[in-house]
Amino acid sequence: MPSRYWTAFFTILVVFLCSSSDACKAGQSKCRVFDVTRFGAVRGSQDNSQAFLAAWSAACRFKGKATFVVPKGTFKLSPVQFKGPCYDGASPSVKIRGVLQALPGSSDDNYWIKFSDLNRLSVGGGGEIDGQGADSWSGNKCNKECKLSSTTLKFDGVRNSRVARLSLLNSKAFHIKFHRCDNIDVYGLKISAPWNSRNTDGIHIAVTNGITIRSSIIGTGDDCISVGQGSRNVTISNIICGPGHGIRYENEMDVVGLVVKNCTIMHTANGLRIKTWPGSSKSRASGLLFEDINMIDVSNPIFIDQKYCPGNECSSEPSKVQINDVKFRRIKGTSRTKVAVNLLCSSDAPCSNIELDDIRLECSAGGECKTTSSCTNVKANFSGVQIPSPCL
């Protein structure tokens, strides 16, 4: 990745870190810092889960403004769940200053660190969360039905909350997952794992309403951001994505209202991808907008795939997911594959009202290469510059 991106990102990060404090503000009588080391947490190889839970319990019960702090240093941790609700319907502010490392080995839990049933939660602090996942990746050979390894950071039933200014790396499976959440702001994250780490999505969203993900750098072995079933009103902006599989929407329940804008996608296996499985039950995906996206050496830059079947053991029935009202605007850059625009829709539920406006996708191979487009079972409208030429 060009050094100028990292320089800009970390300059912003340092400014935020230097302007924040764990101390109570003057005049705040009902505030308290709950440092995990005061509850028995120690730096080194010891499992600190019980100390972390004790600090959380005290902070959650505190009748005032509570700050849960992980100070500088490296702390080992087995799976923990920070539960709510907390006092007066609010939640402690979580400041991770140091490094959290997962203990080696597998776990029966589908999460490593989980926040559940909380309101007005803030998680940040500029620290690092290391999933130590390398030993798990070979076991993540997962198609539609399977059990993945642990998600590093899971939010379940969390609302009116913020996740910001953290580094996550080498998760066993997904790095962050939002499930049953509402009104979430996510920004200033750096998420990284090797390109060959299977199913290590940067951020996965499901059954969530009103989430904004912005100003972050994500490169993993799977999707940078995946938007799953039952999600509504999702906005993704100013993301640098790659390596990985791009930004993906996958549907099994209705998904309405997705905006992806002002992003750069580089060296990924897919760019902007909408996928459904053969035999998927009846549902719909509508109101999807992708605009002002820069592609750098990306395979399948624009791809609607309603025959997604990586294991070749799928239903012979077509997908019944109805995809409509999808707009691709001002998408430019270079494609690693000759087919740069591929609209492969279902014979049972053809795509409708698909709009492509000002598409400029040249072949990254150079020479005599010329990009093409392909359309199947789709009603689409083309306007402005079209490179490759429209397929309808």
Side-chain angles (χ1 to χ4, degrees):
M1 182 176 294
S3 60
R4 64 180 180 276
Y5 291 128
W6 295 105
T7 301
F9 178 80
F10 284 111
T11 298
I12 294 170
L13 185 61
V14 168
V15 168
F16 275 112
L17 290 180
C18 292
S19 63
S20 61
S21 173
D22 295 332
C24 295
K25 295 179 181 178
Q28 273 190 327
S29 58
K30 289 191 176 181
C31 73
R32 185 175 300 171
V33 173
F34 295 83
D35 186 317
V36 294
T37 60
R38 296 181 182 178
F39 291 81
V42 295
R43 299 165 180 84
S45 59
Q46 176 179 314
D47 178 14
N48 290 289
S49 58
Q50 294 306 310
F52 274 55
L53 289 172
W56 174 263
S57 178
C60 188
R61 295 192 311 267
F62 180 65
K63 297 180 179 181
K65 180 177 175 56
T67 303
F68 175 95
V69 175
V70 180
K72 295 197 175 198
T74 299
F75 297 85
K76 298 283 189 179
L77 203 60
S78 61
V80 290
Q81 181 175 2
F82 300 117
K83 296 181 181 180
C86 294
Y87 176 75
D88 200 28
S91 301
S93 175
V94 177
K95 302 290 187 183
I96 300 171
R97 302 297 192 200
V99 177
L100 300 182
Q101 285 187 347
L103 289 170
S106 60
S107 168
D108 292 334
D109 297 297
N110 63 2
Y111 61 85
W112 172 30
I113 301 169
K114 181 178 180 180
F115 293 91
S116 60
D117 302 318
L118 291 160
N119 182 39
R120 289 154 48 194
L121 173 71
S122 174
V123 179
E128 179 178 284
I129 304 177
D130 183 354
Q132 300 278 296
D135 291 341
S136 301
W137 297 333
S138 61
N140 283 348
K141 296 178 181 178
C142 198
N143 293 323
K144 190 173 184 181
E145 300 294 337
C146 60
K147 179 177 173 59
L148 285 174
S149 298
S150 302
T151 294
T152 287
L153 195 55
K154 184 174 182 179
F155 298 88
D156 190 6
V158 174
R159 62 193 189 278
N160 304 316
S161 297
R162 178 180 66 197
V163 182
R165 302 189 290 276
L166 287 172
S167 293
L168 294 93
L169 67 154
N170 297 334
S171 181
K172 290 179 170 61
F174 296 168
H175 284 78
I176 303 178
K177 183 175 183 179
F178 294 95
H179 181 251
R180 298 189 308 117
C181 294
D182 184 75
N183 191 23
I184 306 294
D185 190 16
V186 181
Y187 61 91
L189 301 184
K190 178 191 169 188
I191 302 175
S192 60
W195 66 270
N196 58 349
S197 54
R198 292 187 177 98
N199 285 300
T200 55
D201 293 36
I203 300 174
H204 180 72
I205 306 161
V207 199
T208 288
N209 178 55
I211 181 170
T212 298
I213 303 171
R214 55 193 171 92
S215 304
S216 297
I217 300 172
I218 305 173
T220 70
D222 212 289
D223 299 310
C224 293
I225 300 172
S226 53
V227 181
Q229 60 182 357
S231 298
R232 292 174 175 265
N233 304 313
V234 178
T235 300
I236 300 166
S237 65
N238 296 301
I239 302 297
I240 297 174
C241 165
H245 294 181
I247 297 174
R248 169 178 65 88
Y249 153 81
E250 180 178 3
N251 180 275
E252 292 178 9
M253 295 167 56
D254 286 359
V255 171
V256 179
L258 167 66
V259 176
V260 180
K261 60 184 180 180
N262 300 317
C263 296
T264 296
I265 303 175
M266 57 179 73
H267 314 301
T268 55
N270 296 283
L272 305 170
R273 178 171 55 148
I274 302 170
K275 76 176 189 183
T276 68
W277 294 79
S280 294
S281 59
K282 187 175 181 180
S283 60
R284 70 186 178 109
S286 63
L288 313 183
L289 171 62
F290 305 89
E291 67 179 9
D292 297 311
I293 309 295
N294 185 33
M295 306 276 187
I296 302 174
D297 193 33
V298 170
S299 298
N300 310 308
I302 296 175
F303 193 10
I304 296 178
D305 183 8
Q306 293 205 261
K307 294 185 177 181
Y308 178 76
C309 184
N312 297 316
E313 296 179 358
C314 298
S315 171
S316 59
E317 296 295 318
S319 170
K320 292 181 174 58
V321 178
Q322 175 69 64
I323 298 174
N324 65 0
D325 189 21
V326 181
K327 298 177 174 60
F328 298 95
R329 295 176 174 169
R330 299 182 295 278
I331 314 296
K332 66 177 183 178
T334 55
S335 173
R336 195 186 307 159
T337 50
K338 185 175 181 180
V339 180
V341 177
N342 191 357
L343 310 179
L344 178 58
C345 298
S346 169
S347 58
D348 265 21
C351 301
S352 62
N353 194 24
I354 309 300
E355 176 187 309
L356 293 96
D357 177 33
D358 195 10
I359 308 299
R360 303 167 186 255
L361 295 168
E362 306 276 3
C363 186
S364 59
E368 299 300 320
C369 177
K370 184 177 180 180
T371 53
T372 63
S373 60
S374 175
C375 295
T376 305
N377 302 318
V378 59
K379 293 181 179 179
N381 300 308
F382 299 84
S383 60
V385 174
Q386 291 293 321
I387 303 173
S389 298
C391 45
L392 294 178

